[in-house]
Amino acid sequence: MTWLQLIHFTAGLLVLAEALNKLERTAPLRPGLKPRERATEWLKAVAWSLLALGGAGAVISPALPFLPVQEPSTWLPYLLPAQTPTLPDVCVIVGFAVLIVRTRVKEG
């Protein structure tokens, strides 16, 4: 595993953990919300869901070459490409990880 892959994996793990934590606390279907609050909750839920998917992809990507595939699928390479992360991939996920850590440090 290269340094780039290790950084990508570590940042993905942090983003996945935080995204699942935040996603658990969103409640877009909670009764009594005003339309603007409901829209905000839905946007948060969608954003954290996408970040959780991205983080999960970063966490599972090092294991993909070793997973047995029963039947080849045409859509699997698009969802989980078995390739090393590029520098832009790493920069994006590390950027989100830094923002998460910054927020946690700021909260004390």
Side-chain angles (χ1 to χ4, degrees):
M1 183 180 278
T2 66
W3 281 103
L4 206 55
Q5 288 174 309
L6 185 61
I7 292 168
H8 189 250
F9 173 83
T10 305
L13 191 62
L14 193 141
V15 169
L16 176 61
E18 183 69 11
L20 291 175
N21 180 32
K22 294 284 188 175
L23 189 57
E24 183 181 28
R25 292 192 262 148
T26 59
L29 299 176
R30 186 174 63 229
L33 290 178
K34 296 176 184 172
R36 183 179 178 138
E37 293 170 331
R38 190 170 307 282
T40 302
E41 286 293 310
W42 273 111
L43 289 172
K44 283 195 296 188
V46 168
W48 286 116
S49 296
L50 292 172
L51 283 170
L53 286 171
V59 169
I60 194 68
S61 63
L64 285 178
F66 306 107
L67 294 178
V69 178
Q70 297 297 334
E71 56 185 66
S73 176
T74 57
W75 55 267
L76 187 61
Y78 294 109
L79 290 177
L80 295 169
Q83 64 188 27
T84 57
T86 63
L87 185 59
D89 295 334
V90 174
C91 289
V92 168
I93 202 157
V94 168
F96 278 112
V98 169
L99 288 173
I100 289 166
V101 170
R102 178 201 154 269
T103 302
R104 291 293 181 163
V105 168
K106 187 178 170 184
E107 290 173 354

